[in-house]
Amino acid sequence: MTDRKTLEGIVNSFYEARGGNDKYGVMSFAGPEITFSMVGSGKMAVAAPRISGPADLEVAVGALIDHWDMSRMTTKRLYVDGDTVIAHRSGVIRHNPTGRDLETEYIDIFTIKDGKIDDITEFVDTLMVAEATGLVTT
């Protein structure tokens, strides 16, 4: 099991790369068997499929960076249990295609293995994402 300070450092550095729209920086944290998913309605599955492996993740990270500026998000709290880190984040994200700024918060659950991120499960406001991207209108 990795110590708390190291795990927090990995997650904080990952968010620094993501906030800087640094695709290769984000990818440098990916383990060889990495998986990524957003939890939400099955209707969102088309827009947020489960990603498996670094090659598919690189494509997804590129698309996320193109579509979402997260430079104004901040980490409110990190919780560490074993090799799992739960991150609570909040702030303003920008949907780049529309230029809309949206205030939001979300939770990421990271599983770290051998100093790399093995899994990220993200809990986001899926309605906000669907509205911002035009999947639904309210």
Side-chain angles (χ1 to χ4, degrees), residues 58-69:
E58 186 170 352
V59 172
V61 167
L64 287 169
I65 286 172
D66 287 346
H67 288 90
W68 299 99
D69 176 0

Side-chain angles (χ1 to χ4, degrees), residues 122-136:
E122 190 165 73
F123 295 81
V124 299
D125 180 347
T126 54
L127 178 58
M128 185 261 323
V129 171
E131 288 175 340
T133 59
L135 289 174
V136 300

Side-chain angles (χ1 to χ4, degrees), residues 31-58:
E33 303 295 324
I34 191 164
T35 55
F36 169 74
S37 62
M38 282 188 207
V39 175
S41 164
K43 294 175 184 177
M44 285 294 295
V46 171
R50 183 162 186 78
I51 305 296
S52 296
D56 289 343
L57 182 66
E58 186 170 352

